[in-house]
């Protein structure tokens, strides 16, 4: 792959420019190698390549169609609300207030969003209507997202990236000092990004890694760069009322109740006939239909949510 030449000799004799990131083409010039070599090292898992989107500090992100959204369930915080009463001038007032603190990934009845500061290189997403919008959905993406090495198995020798390629992107969680840098955070499966060729970036940590490999001949360690299938947790399991029969916490049940309230259901519905409640959910909550759980499970959720 990489061969010794005058450019490489020049790179041996001076430190790399202090760039935080650059394109693969720029990286090849800095390192004195070929662009093909960059993609080869990404293919074998020696380095990571990232896709750059607008920074969350200046934008809500850029919107792309994504096949599926997955997340580490341990990082999800569901919005909790409580009715707060106060008196003023002889009158009693009640207001619903958010009492839960924000976490790495936050879910409300209307939006799912992540905290860019808690994910590597500021990767973040925002997704509207998460209860019914997790498959083939439009997602606002910001920051730098790691590209799965599987995307480069067939791309490493290509002159140009196929615009029809489906991309697999990951955001690693770094907010907990006790967690390793490769802690699974969010995966976007089959993202349709037609202009990906202009977004691919090499980060400084990998520039230094390749430079050391080229100048010393020492082998590069390989990244564990795979889809986190054993850790994947479809957000639909958490936010869609049509939840499967697995353990559901009181926080999740409280979130389900708030979600149903946002579609006009109230305590009378929750405490009345389960059959009538099913019919109202099917008619009022788009894309859900009759919840795919038995009556006892639905009653259990309502009890855990404190409304039955």
């Amino acid at each position: 792959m990489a061969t010794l030449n005058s450019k490489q000799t020049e790179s041996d004799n001076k430190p790399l420019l202090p760039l935080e990131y650059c394109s693969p083409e720029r990286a090849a010039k800095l390192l004195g190698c070929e662009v093909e070599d960059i993609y080869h090292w990404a293919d074998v898992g020696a380095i990571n390549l990232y896709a750059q989107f607008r920074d969350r500090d200046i934008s809500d992100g850029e919107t792309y169609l994504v096949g599926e959204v997955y997340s580490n369930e341990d990082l999800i915080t569901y919005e909790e609300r409580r009715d707060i009463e106060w008196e003023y001038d002889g009158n009693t007032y009640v207001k619903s207030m958010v009492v839960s603190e924000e976490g790495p990934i936050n879910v409300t009845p209307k939006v799912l969003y992540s905290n860019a500061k808690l994910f590597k290189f500021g990767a973040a997403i925002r997704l509207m209507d998460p209860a019914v919008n997790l498959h083939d959905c439009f997602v606002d993406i910001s920051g730098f997202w790691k590209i799965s090495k599987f995307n480069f198995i067939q791309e490493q020798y290509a002159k140009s990236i196929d615009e029809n390629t489906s991309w697999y992107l990951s955001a690693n969680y770094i907010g907990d000092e006790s967690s390793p840098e490769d802690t699974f955070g969010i995966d976007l499966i089959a993202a349709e990004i037609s202009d990906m060729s202009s977004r691919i970036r090499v980060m400084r940590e990998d520039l230094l890694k390749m430079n050391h490999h080229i100048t010393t001949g020492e082998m590069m360690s390989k990244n564990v760069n795979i889809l986190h299938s054993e850790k994947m947790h479809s957000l639909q399991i958490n936010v869609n009322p049509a939840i499967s029969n697995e353990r559901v916490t009181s926080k999740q049940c409280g979130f389900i109740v708030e979600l149903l309230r946002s579609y006009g259901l109230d305590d009378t519905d929750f405490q009345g006939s389960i059959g009538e409640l099913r019919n109202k959910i099917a008619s009022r909550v788009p894309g859900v239909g009759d919840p795919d759980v038995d009556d006892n499970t639905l009653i259990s959720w309502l009890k855990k949510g404190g409304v039955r």
Side-chain angles (χ1 to χ4, degrees), residues 240-245 278 281 288-295 297-298 301:
N240 194 322
I243 294 178
S244 59
N245 290 320
R278 285 181 176 277
I281 292 174
V288 173
D290 186 6
D292 188 20
V293 293
D294 58 42
D295 288 352
T297 299
L298 189 54
W301 291 350

Side-chain angles (χ1 to χ4, degrees), residues 180-201:
E181 279 198 356
D182 62 350
T183 298
F184 167 49
I186 306 168
D187 277 352
L188 304 180
I189 308 302
E192 296 185 7
I193 305 173
S194 61
D195 60 348
M196 181 61 87
S197 59
S198 65
R199 297 183 177 277
I200 298 175
R201 299 290 181 264

Side-chain angles (χ1 to χ4, degrees), residues 203-275:
M203 307 306 287
R204 182 162 183 81
E205 62 184 24
D206 287 305
L207 276 173
L208 294 173
K209 187 176 182 181
M210 289 185 289
N211 188 57
H212 182 76
H213 168 61
I214 291 171
T215 56
T216 66
E218 294 181 9
M219 296 298 293
M220 287 187 282
S221 59
K222 302 293 179 63
N223 300 312
V224 180
N225 192 345
I226 61 173
L227 298 179
H228 301 81
S229 57
E230 74 283 2
K231 297 181 180 179
M232 276 187 175
H233 179 83
S234 175
L235 290 169
Q236 187 168 1
I237 293 176
N238 286 328
V239 304
N240 194 322
I243 294 178
S244 59
N245 290 320
E246 65 178 60
R247 184 180 63 85
V248 182
T249 68
S250 58
K251 285 187 177 182
Q252 291 171 320
C253 291
F255 176 81
I256 294 170
V257 169
E258 290 301 319
L259 173 67
L260 296 177
R261 287 190 192 279
S262 72
Y263 285 99
L265 300 175
D266 57 27
D267 288 346
T268 302
D269 299 312
F270 301 142
Q271 296 166 11
S273 164
I274 290 297

Side-chain angles (χ1 to χ4, degrees), residues 56-57 72 74-77 101-106 113-125 142 144-145 170-177 179-186:
R56 175 56 62 86
D57 291 338
N72 184 338
D74 295 333
L75 304 180
I76 299 173
T77 297
E101 296 183 0
E102 289 195 345
I105 303 169
N106 301 281
Y113 62 96
S114 58
N115 186 337
K117 296 180 180 179
L118 300 181
F119 291 85
K120 192 169 185 178
F121 300 132
I125 64 170
S142 57
F144 293 84
W145 285 72
S170 297
N172 286 350
Y173 175 66
I174 58 170
D176 187 345
E177 293 183 357
S179 300
E181 279 198 356
D182 62 350
T183 298
F184 167 49
I186 306 168

Side-chain angles (χ1 to χ4, degrees), residues 13-308:
N13 297 328
K14 63 180 181 181
L16 291 174
L17 289 175
L19 301 177
E20 293 298 320
Y21 59 86
C22 64
S23 68
E25 292 76 15
R26 178 65 167 148
K29 290 180 180 179
L30 290 171
L31 297 169
C33 66
E34 303 295 331
V35 176
E36 178 182 311
D37 301 325
I38 304 293
Y39 285 104
H40 166 72
W41 287 319
D43 174 27
V44 299
I47 65 168
N48 293 315
L49 293 178
Y50 289 78
Q52 182 183 16
F53 304 92
R54 281 197 292 267
D55 193 282
R56 175 56 62 86
D57 291 338
I58 62 174
S59 168
D60 287 331
E62 297 172 77
T63 306
Y64 288 94
L65 181 63
V66 175
E68 294 182 81
V69 179
Y70 290 89
S71 174
N72 184 338
E73 61 182 322
D74 295 333
L75 304 180
I76 299 173
T77 297
Y78 298 93
E79 180 184 82
E80 292 184 76
R81 289 181 171 269
R82 184 176 302 162
D83 288 340
I84 306 297
E85 293 186 2
W86 77 93
E87 294 186 0
Y88 177 75
D89 197 22
N91 297 315
T92 300
Y93 299 88
V94 179
K95 184 176 182 179
S96 178
M97 303 286 290
V98 176
V99 296
S100 53
E101 296 183 0
E102 289 195 345
I105 303 169
N106 301 281
V107 183
T108 79
K110 296 299 183 183
V111 63
L112 176 151
Y113 62 96
S114 58
N115 186 337
K117 296 180 180 179
L118 300 181
F119 291 85
K120 192 169 185 178
F121 300 132
I125 64 170
R126 188 182 68 164
L127 171 66
M128 304 305 295
D129 295 324
V132 295
N133 195 25
L134 291 165
H135 298 275
D136 297 323
C137 52
F138 286 96
V139 179
D140 294 333
I141 309 173
S142 57
F144 293 84
W145 285 72
K146 184 171 68 175
I147 304 172
S148 169
K149 86 180 193 71
F150 295 111
N151 277 124
F152 298 108
I153 291 176
Q154 295 183 358
E155 299 290 350
Q156 67 173 9
Y157 301 114
K159 298 298 182 183
S160 61
I161 301 292
D162 185 352
E163 292 183 356
N164 296 318
T165 298
S166 293
W167 297 90
Y168 296 77
L169 307 177
S170 297
N172 286 350
Y173 175 66
I174 58 170
D176 187 345
E177 293 183 357
S178 63
S179 300
E181 279 198 356
D182 62 350
T183 298
F184 167 49
I186 306 168
D187 277 352
L188 304 180
I189 308 302
E192 296 185 7
I193 305 173
S194 61
D195 60 348
M196 181 61 87
S197 59
S198 65
R199 297 183 177 277
I200 298 175
R201 299 290 181 264
V202 181
M203 307 306 287
R204 182 162 183 81
E205 62 184 24
D206 287 305
L207 276 173
L208 294 173
K209 187 176 182 181
M210 289 185 289
N211 188 57
H212 182 76
H213 168 61
I214 291 171
T215 56
T216 66
E218 294 181 9
M219 296 298 293
M220 287 187 282
S221 59
K222 302 293 179 63
N223 300 312
V224 180
N225 192 345
I226 61 173
L227 298 179
H228 301 81
S229 57
E230 74 283 2
K231 297 181 180 179
M232 276 187 175
H233 179 83
S234 175
L235 290 169
Q236 187 168 1
I237 293 176
N238 286 328
V239 304
N240 194 322
I243 294 178
S244 59
N245 290 320
E246 65 178 60
R247 184 180 63 85
V248 182
T249 68
S250 58
K251 285 187 177 182
Q252 291 171 320
C253 291
F255 176 81
I256 294 170
V257 169
E258 290 301 319
L259 173 67
L260 296 177
R261 287 190 192 279
S262 72
Y263 285 99
L265 300 175
D266 57 27
D267 288 346
T268 302
D269 299 312
F270 301 142
Q271 296 166 11
S273 164
I274 290 297
E276 291 181 6
L277 176 60
R278 285 181 176 277
N279 291 335
K280 288 185 177 181
I281 292 174
S283 63
R284 297 188 186 184
V285 184
V288 173
D290 186 6
D292 188 20
V293 293
D294 58 42
D295 288 352
N296 290 334
T297 299
L298 189 54
I299 291 172
S300 175
W301 291 350
L302 295 173
K303 288 181 177 179
K304 286 183 179 180
V307 294
R308 190 177 180 96

